[in-house]
């Protein structure tokens, strides 16, 4: 039973009260992350954060308007299709997005159907947002379909405007349509409209879904009706401030921000900041059992867990910044976006979050309010039992675990990361996909997405001749050269779908043919060429960035743990975990979800997220083990570290996995695949790699894991050494 304290002893500025009999006396925090001894200073810091929030909130709401989502904006400037796109603006409006209206009747078009298609074409020609003449209707040779191509001018932000334009086309086509006539809007405009609907409200969808997941997990973790509010409020503040900063970088520093990056930012900030809050709350709760003053308890908690949070945030932020080396503009822009989100989240959780916790008092933990002298022990409980089982045969534990993970990694052979076709990009059937399939059945599928060829005017005729012999280009489809400002412009229609593997082969063959024309400086672009260049750039980025991320993470671990052996082992475990995740994900995508392929960026994004976030949990565990090892040696410290951090790290992993799983709520294959893979990988890393493999490696290798630091020479404490309670922190 604790001694009675006067009311003033609970104030943030109070001195520690005498400890109850039989408990460790409260300790002062001479070295502290909270150098505040006056309540008004605490309030001042909160006010400063309110000013920051008020300043950035207005900019945060403008972020969606600064997003750049077009393929040409995401490609590197050195890509051949990007150079063609720039020259193309001399000859036609670069903002032209063709829509293909396809009319289909399986038994053959009736006279009424043909009249309807003809009348509609005349009405399409009266639209105000055209960029050229309406082509069609063209009737198929089998008599079952008709198509009309409408060149729409939707401006630079065509993804946003496509939905309204296509809706208007649907309205014209559906008006008094003969019964039984199937009508679809296909082509680039139809695809853009379906994509716009799929990503419309993405920020709100992800935010509300993430809130539901995080709140549910926090309620289950703490069973407190109040405590969950503090991580949520601070995560929301971090997201708002980060979005404001990112908008300023996009508006004034040329940062490329995509809707993908903005959506994932919400997931990352809420997941990572909630993880940091869980670690701080767990340590703060421990210290409240040892300190009468909340300020002293939080000071010690920050001093002991703060370095782990800082190291974790630095690892993730710097790893994300490695994406800045990418060729793809969209990928390169993700680096600063994610780094800003992580840095702001860590800053909020190390400053504002502790202040709010201290100011509000112990009651926020109700109904399990921690009191001085409460006797929870680190050497009892679920994770202590797990550690005891591993300690019996640690070598068998880590070898067996490694073999199981290696078997899962075999599935990487099922990975098809060459990019998604238009039909594969959506998890549900879309009108544009159905329409494109109808076009492919009855016409040249690529009529609305031709190859675009530019060259010097002097070599135009030779380039024209060279294109005639390229396999995969429809005979007679190469247009006559149009000359302007010293350049020649031509188009050619593919015989297959513009997003097929055959189309990419044709692009390569066409480039080989026109590049051989001396002095022509000929280049091949268009939608198919852009997709091919995006695939090539993504492959280059994977090969370049993956080794850089590993080197950066290894360097941070060496500095943090002051050792070589343990960082190398930790890197090895997360690489194996990542390989297993990719392998298992590929098998699930092929045989459970029946996805046809993975996005170009999928392997790189999964690798960077899992290496950076997976190391997080190893940092949380290993910094606690290192702290304990100074007192009792490595093997006992390993068991104590697992017992002390097992619960909070597992909860953190579940939170992060849950937030990434929210991506699966979007009807886009790219997000569904990324969400599943990262969520699965985080759970694998949290439950298996960190709790079993890393623990077993520590127990098997022992103090040699700290080589060459002085800690590797410290012997383990004897079995007679009493086990220190969890609430009694180790001395540094």
């Amino acid at each position: 039973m604790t001694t009675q304290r006067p009311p003033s002893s609970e104030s943030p500025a109070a001195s520690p009260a005498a400890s109850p009999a039989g408990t460790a006396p409260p300790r002062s925090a001479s070295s502290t992350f909270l150098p505040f001894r006056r309540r008004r200073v605490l309030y001042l810091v909160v006010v400063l954060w309110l000013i920051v929030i008020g300043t950035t909130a207005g900019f945060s709401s403008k972020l969606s308007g600064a997003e750049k989502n077009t393929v040409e904006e995401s490609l590197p400037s050195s890509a051949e299709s990007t150079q063609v796109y720039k020259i193309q603006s001399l000859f036609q409006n670069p903002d032209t997005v063709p829509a293909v209206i396809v009319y289909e009747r399986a038994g053959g078009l009736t006279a009424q159907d043909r009249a309807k298609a003809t009348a509609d074409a005349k009405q399409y020609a009266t639209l105000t947002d055209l960029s050229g003449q309406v082509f069609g209707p063209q009737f198929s040779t089998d008599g079952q379909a008709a198509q009309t191509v409408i060149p729409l001018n939707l401006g630079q932000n065509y993804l946003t405007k496509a939905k309204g334009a296509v809706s208007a086309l649907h309205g014209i086509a559906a008006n008094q349509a003969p019964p039984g006539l199937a009508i679809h809007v296909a082509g680039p405009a139809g695809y853009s409209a379906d994509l716009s609907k799929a990503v419309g409200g993405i920020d709100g969808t992800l935010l509300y879904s993430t809130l539901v997941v995080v709140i549910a997990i926090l309620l289950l973790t703490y069973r407190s009706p109040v405590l969950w509010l503090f991580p949520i409020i601070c995560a929301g503040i971090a997201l708002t401030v980060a979005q404001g900063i990112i908008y300023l970088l996009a508006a004034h520093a040329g940062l490329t921000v995509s809707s993908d990056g903005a959506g994932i930012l919400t997931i990352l900030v809420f997941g990572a900041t909630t993880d940091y809050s869980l670690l701080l709350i767990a340590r703060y709760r421990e210290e409240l059992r040892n300190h009468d003053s909340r300020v002293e308890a939080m000071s010690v908690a920050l001093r002991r867990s703060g370095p782990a949070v800082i190291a974790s945030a630095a690892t993730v932020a710097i790893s994300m910044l490695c994406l800045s080396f990418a060729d793809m503009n969209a990928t390169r822009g993700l680096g600063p976006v994610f780094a800003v989100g992580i840095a702001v989240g860590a800053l909020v959780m190390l400053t504002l979050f502790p202040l709010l916790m201290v100011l509000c008092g112990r009651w926020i933990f109700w109904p399990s309010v921690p009191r001085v002298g409460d006797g929870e022990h680190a050497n009892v409980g679920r994770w202590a039992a797990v550690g005891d089982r591993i300690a019996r045969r640690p070598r068998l534990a880590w070898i067996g675990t490694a073999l199981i993970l290696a078997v899962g990694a075999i599935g990487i052979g099922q990975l098809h990361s060459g990019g998604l076709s238009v039909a594969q990009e959506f998890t549900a059937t879309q009108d544009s996909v159905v329409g494109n399939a109808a076009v492919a059945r009855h016409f040249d599928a690529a009529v609305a997405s031709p190859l675009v060829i530019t060259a010097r005017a002097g070599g135009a005729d030779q380039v024209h001749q060279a294109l005639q012999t390229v396999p995969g280009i429809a005979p007679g489809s190469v247009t006559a050269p149009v000359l302007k400002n010293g350049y020649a412009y031509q188009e050619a229609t593919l015989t297959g779908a513009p997003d097929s593997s055959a189309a990419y082969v044709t692009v390569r063959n066409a480039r080989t043919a026109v590049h051989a024309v001396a002095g022509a400086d000929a280049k091949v672009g268009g939608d198919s060429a852009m997709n091919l260049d995006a695939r090539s750039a993504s492959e280059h980025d994977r090969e370049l960035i993956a080794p850089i991320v590993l080197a950066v993470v290894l360097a941070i671990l060496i500095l943090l743990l002051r050792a070589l052996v343990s960082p190398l082992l930790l890197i090895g475990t997360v690489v194996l975990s990542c390989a297993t995740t990719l392998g298992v994900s590929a098998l699930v995508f092929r045989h459970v979800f029946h996805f046809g392929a993975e996005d170009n960026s999928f392997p790189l994004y999964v690798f960077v997220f899992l290496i950076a976030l997976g190391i997080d949990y190893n940092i949380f565990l290993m910094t606690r083990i290192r702290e304990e090892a100074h007192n009792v040696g490595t093997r006992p410290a390993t068991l104590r570290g697992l017992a002390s951090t097992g619960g909070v790290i597992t909860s953190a992993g579940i939170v992060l996995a849950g937030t990434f799983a929210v991506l699966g709520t979007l009807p886009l294959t790219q997000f569904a695949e990324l969400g599943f893979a990262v969520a699965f990988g985080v759970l694998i890393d949290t439950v298996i790699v960190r709790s079993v493999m890393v623990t077993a490696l520590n127990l098997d290798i022992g103090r040699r894991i700290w080589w060459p630091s002085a800690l590797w020479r410290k012997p383990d404490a004897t079995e007679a050494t009493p086990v220190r309670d969890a609430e009694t922190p180790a001395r540094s």
Side-chain angles (χ1 to χ4, degrees), residues 14-103:
S15 301
S19 61
T23 63
R27 291 170 303 281
S28 64
S30 56
S31 174
T32 175
F33 280 61
L34 271 180
F36 311 123
R37 287 294 181 269
R38 298 181 183 275
R39 183 182 290 270
R40 63 174 177 268
V41 179
L42 302 181
Y43 287 130
L44 176 61
V45 175
V46 174
V47 170
L48 289 175
W49 268 111
L50 290 176
I51 294 174
V52 172
I53 297 166
T55 303
T56 56
F59 297 124
S60 171
S61 61
K62 298 179 180 179
L63 181 59
S64 60
E67 294 173 1
K68 298 177 180 179
N69 297 307
T70 60
V71 175
E72 56 270 16
E73 288 173 323
S74 68
L75 284 170
S77 58
S78 59
E80 184 168 331
S81 56
T82 305
Q83 297 175 40
V84 170
Y85 180 79
K86 294 176 181 177
I87 299 173
Q88 184 179 352
S89 62
L90 296 173
F91 299 91
Q92 62 175 219
N93 190 330
D95 300 324
T96 299
V97 184
V100 179
I101 313 297
V102 55
Y103 304 81

Side-chain angles (χ1 to χ4, degrees), residues 159-244:
L159 189 62
T160 302
K161 297 180 180 179
K163 183 168 62 173
V166 168
S167 178
L169 296 177
H170 267 297
I172 295 173
N175 184 33
Q176 297 181 346
L181 179 65
I183 304 175
H184 308 283
V185 180
Y191 164 75
S192 297
D194 288 338
L195 182 61
S196 178
K197 287 185 288 186
V199 301
I202 179 175
D203 295 338
T205 300
L206 290 177
L207 177 60
Y208 297 135
S209 301
T210 301
L211 283 173
V212 170
V213 170
V214 174
I215 291 172
I217 295 173
L218 289 175
L219 284 172
L220 290 173
T221 300
Y222 293 114
R223 298 178 178 86
S224 169
V226 179
L227 187 57
W228 63 271
L229 281 169
F230 292 87
I232 292 295
I233 291 172
C234 288
I237 290 172
L239 179 62
T240 299
V241 174
Q243 288 175 333

Side-chain angles (χ1 to χ4, degrees), residues 4 362 580 604:
Q4 294 294 320
R362 296 173 185 254
T580 302
L604 177 61

Side-chain angles (χ1 to χ4, degrees), residues 543-565:
E543 296 173 358
L544 174 68
I545 294 174
I548 295 176
V549 171
L550 288 177
V552 166
V553 172
L554 179 61
I556 293 174
L557 288 175
I558 290 173
L559 292 174
L560 178 67
L561 300 177
R562 303 180 185 92
L564 288 176
V565 175

